[in-house]
Amino acid sequence: MKDSIFPTSIEVSNGDQVLEITWSDKKKSVYPLYGLRVNCPCVMCRGGHSNMAKFEPEAFFDPDASDIHIRNIEQVGNHAIKITWADGHNSGMYRWETLRYLDPDNHK
Ligand SMILES: [Zn+2]
């Protein structure tokens, strides 16, 4: 992925249970919140450093997904966002390239 691709807008809708990102190359990504929470990239959620690259994109399509809410989103530098979930968990840094990889369109 090119470094020049970055989000031009990031919108959360807890009501619709999605996070929507529009990218600088005009691509629009829509992430069900449950899938984003399950794929939190922090060390704890990924089960240790050796598993850091392993995600579960299928979680985006879980029909039994429970209601998940985002409390806050902060940009970290110019490469990532930090999401604070309603359960208080906020150690995941979602880098642009991780978010592009996790885009549910890539895993249909
Ligand atoms: Zn985590």
Side-chain angles (χ1 to χ4, degrees):
M1 166 192 158
K2 295 193 191 92
D3 287 343
S4 56
I5 296 175
F6 56 89
T8 55
S9 102
I10 300 178
E11 279 180 46
V12 182
S13 172
N14 284 317
D16 291 335
Q17 289 281 289
V18 291
L19 176 80
E20 288 189 18
I21 297 181
T22 305
W23 300 91
S24 53
D25 63 354
K26 309 290 184 208
K27 163 104 182 110
K28 191 170 181 181
S29 303
V30 180
Y31 305 89
L33 297 185
Y34 177 81
L36 271 187
R37 178 67 183 85
V38 169
N39 284 285
C40 173
C42 83
V43 176
M44 199 171 78
C45 293
R46 297 270 60 79
H49 284 287
S50 57
N51 290 324
M52 284 298 276
K54 290 182 190 141
F55 290 101
E56 301 168 57
E58 63 277 11
F60 285 102
F61 309 103
D62 187 344
D64 300 321
S66 46
D67 232 24
I68 300 277
H69 285 208
I70 284 178
R71 194 186 293 163
N72 190 38
I73 294 183
E74 282 170 66
Q75 188 161 336
V76 180
N78 55 11
H79 64 279
I81 48 173
K82 180 166 103 168
I83 297 178
T84 301
W85 300 96
D87 61 10
H89 188 66
N90 69 349
S91 25
M93 302 285 176
Y94 293 75
R95 301 175 61 94
W96 304 154
E97 61 260 37
T98 302
L99 288 165
R100 288 288 288 214
Y101 166 71
L102 289 174
D103 185 326
D105 284 349
N106 295 335
H107 304 285
K108 278 175 179 158

